[in-house]
Amino acid sequence: MERRQFLKSSALAGAVLAISNTRIWATSADSRVEIFLEEPRGEISPNLYGQFTEHIGGVIYDGVWVGEQSKIRNEFGIRAELVERMKEIEVPIVRWPGGCFADSYDWKDGIGSTSERPVRTNFWEGDSDAARLHEKGPQVFEPNTFGTNEFMRFCKLVGAEPYLAANLRSLPPLFFDHWVEYCNSPAGTTTLAKMRAEAGFPEPFKVKFWGIGNESWGCGGNFAPEEYASEFRRYTSWIPSFGVGLQLIAAGPNGNDIDWTHRFFDEIFTGHSYHNPSFTGWSIHHYASNLSRGKTRDWLLGKGDALKFELVDWFELLRECDRVERIMADQWAVMGQYDPQHQIKLVVDEYGPWYREGTELDPTHIFGQQVTVRDALATALTLDAFNRNAEKVSVATCAQLVNNINALFLCHEDRFFATPNFHVFKMYAAHKGGQSLRTEFSAPDVHYDRDGRPARFWGLNGSASQKGNLVTLTAVNPDLTQPSQAQVTLRGAAIARSRGTALAASDMHAHNTFENPDAVKATPLDTSIGAGILNVSIPPASVIKLEITLG
Ligand code: AHR
């Protein structure tokens, strides 16, 4: 019954469009997309398609690391199927070891002979999700089996750039210098380079991306912004460079806390100002975690369920994820007041829907959750927002790669499958390195009932990019019942050919499982070209990609 409230007024919209622009648009279309080839917005960095891996629950142990002696197919102890699937989508960059874990981690614990590495208490041992654990395994007591060398091996196997998050809360700056030295000092030079060589890695890892703490307003030290700015100076005033162009990333605000951003940059750039050419990133985290529709601000009570949800929750989740673009715009505007040339870009290194516990595949998977088609749309609209803001964002890493919040893969022991998010990343890979193009979407809003009040959400949105004579358009249709009959035009070129792909599901709860790993996947989508217009019927509840060859 509730579904009936979700009608899109397509016929009416078509008529309005016909009146307002009879030259171009046919009355049957209820949406139109106009791509402006002569209005590039900046190159879409491949690094917007990165992933995040933290020592939480089943991410590293069970997800990435199975051990060399395991019966599970592995390369040097790393789950082979994971590596293969990551290569399929050419993951460009992986962030590690946290998250909050990073600020309790001593990298020296994770090098040298594995049998001699110390066992430490994991940062997440006290989390409410950890309370369900039957045994105190690696989720509680970190064995340090997977350390810097193993992570670098993982990156190398995948073909990804490493992005390390340094501990600012509980280790002094010299430990950070030494981590850089261990990773980057040339073969045969420093004592740490020799230790690296003894572990089988004579050549430097050449790590460019370094996070200086994580969520320093919270788990990363509970600092005031001025205090964190002062620590940031101390940690970054001198770091051995070894000719590697270091990219230093500062910990940004809690949500869209503008005050944190103003006060941090004020402290860094005014008065006794500090200019460091390697300071190039401002980290933003955006989780869609409160789905209570304003009923509570409680972190646990506000969470929704990954699988049990109503129509209103569908839109609430998409609406919450969609806020990322506002956050990027607000943060960018403040940063521009202090750094008008925008040397410092946004690094969205954690994002995704975050639900309450209960859908994890194994009790050990702290923050593990199922991933439905709803999450695929949420991930897609987030990636579209990054593409549209290509000039602002330099790196983004999805939280998190496997067995966690917004995972691309779920696995336990010898069973493994890709979630709908994997298919989104596969579809969107075509944008990497492309030129982001201004693209206008015009579609009637979707209307729905939000606790007795009328609410609306956009009816179609997306992004486009160009590489040579190929234009890629991706878009999300959030309407649960109505297809969007779209007409796509290019300003500045003719359309020669087109090919479509869609990820859609008739059930909004659809998700993949061990038993049915392909319940949600991408399939071909019909398109047609006539009178210079590309026509496509975009299915309800879908993510689509159009590959358009220019004539
Ligand atoms: O991704 C899980 C946690 O969420 C990260 O450790 C932390 O940075 C954030 O609060």
Side-chain angles (χ1 to χ4, degrees), residues 24 80 119 179 190 230 245 277 309 393 405 423 436 452 456 511 533 540-541:
I24 302 175
V119 176
W179 201 9
T190 65
S230 148
F309 57 88
V393 203
I405 298 164
H423 298 285
S436 176
R456 54 175 63 206
H511 58 279
I533 295 175

Side-chain angles (χ1 to χ4, degrees), residues 289-290 292 295-303:
S289 52
N290 190 320
S292 73
K295 294 187 186 76
T296 178
R297 299 183 75 173
D298 185 278
W299 171 250
L300 288 177
L301 294 178
K303 284 193 180 148

Side-chain angles (χ1 to χ4, degrees), residues 52 54 56 99-100 124 214-215 285 287 350 354 400 405:
F52 170 40
E54 177 169 7
I56 302 182
C100 295
W124 295 104
N214 169 77
E215 297 191 351
H285 294 175
Y287 287 110
E350 294 185 25
W354 193 340
Q400 301 194 12
I405 298 164

Side-chain angles (χ1 to χ4, degrees), residues 8 22 27 30 46 61 79 84 96 102 106 117 139 183 259 303 322 330 378 384 395 439 444 501-502 522 547 550:
K8 192 189 277 184
T22 41
T27 50
D30 72 358
Y61 302 108
R79 190 184 280 273
E84 288 154 10
W96 176 84
D106 183 350
R117 295 184 192 177
Q139 294 73 29
C183 290
D259 184 55
K303 284 193 180 148
D322 204 38
D330 290 350
D384 281 324
V395 178
T439 306
T501 311
E547 290 158 291
L550 305 181

